Amino acid sequence: SQQGEEDPQALSIQEGENATMNCSYKTSINNLQWYRQNSGRGLVHLILIRSNEREKHSGRLRVTLDTSKKSSSLLITASRAADTASYFCATVYGSSNTGKLIFGQGTTLQVKP
Amino acid sequence: DARVTQTPRHKVTEMGQEVTMRCQPILGHNTVFWYRQTMMQGLELLAYFRNRAPLDDSGMPKDRFSAEMPDATLATLKIQPSEPRDSAVYFCASGLVQLAGTYNEQFFGPGTRLTVL
């Protein structure tokens, strides 16, 4: 029943490199959010992009949204070992009045020092 | 530093026992969500509340799970009787929905890791 699907499922890079994760979804959305989960911890909200926005930045994070392709990407620039975590996209249905988040399966990112 | 708290952090129990998990949402948030995370299924939404009223619990096995918000500072998720397949990490999250059609981020608690033997 997942709305979003992340790609790739796993990603391993060297410190300093950029990491790009993609998310595809199925139906119209109100907004799309990215969350990070460190091992054994709860999810932490990273960034939210609304359906009428195309790009958003927050520090080393850059999120794009293409509603025509029903896809989003998260770019982490100049990665650090501390960025090692799982990253999830989550969508809020546009036609829903609930605010429910539907999560994808996540991308596991490993940044090697 | 406002945050969502959950208790207990870890729970090991035997099949058939009752399990109660508690969550204290961030003060002022009007929406509370319960999620379950497993390797196989990922993150699943079990139930959620708006202004303490249950809005949707369609993700929850009704015969054994129940969720309540006795007051604005406490949400509970109960499993009775528990089964080994209930073993998972259960997360509570809270958020603030202010305007119709405007939905913002959710703040997650640290989770309760449940093991049913």
Side-chain angles (χ1 to χ4, degrees), chain B residues 28-94:
Chain B
H29 282 185
N30 59 3
T31 311
V32 174
F33 302 82
W34 282 105
Y35 294 90
R36 175 172 62 185
Q37 186 177 37
T38 61
M39 288 295 291
M40 292 299 294
Q41 298 297 325
L43 268 162
E44 301 174 280
L45 178 66
L46 297 176
Y48 69 98
F49 296 78
R50 176 81 49 82
N51 296 321
R52 294 179 54 202
L55 284 191
D56 187 348
D57 60 2
S58 59
M60 220 161 55
K62 300 289 190 306
D63 56 336
R64 300 183 299 108
F65 284 61
S66 62
E68 295 179 346
M69 273 202 80
D71 61 62
T73 64
L74 177 64
T76 62
L77 180 66
K78 188 175 296 185
I79 308 174
Q80 168 63 19
S82 57
E83 296 181 3
R85 59 180 167 150
D86 300 330
S87 297
V89 182
Y90 290 81
F91 288 103
C92 172
S94 71

Side-chain angles (χ1 to χ4, degrees), chain A residues 37-41 84-86:
Chain A
Q37 184 179 32
N38 290 88
S39 180
R41 302 284 189 93
T84 294
S86 292

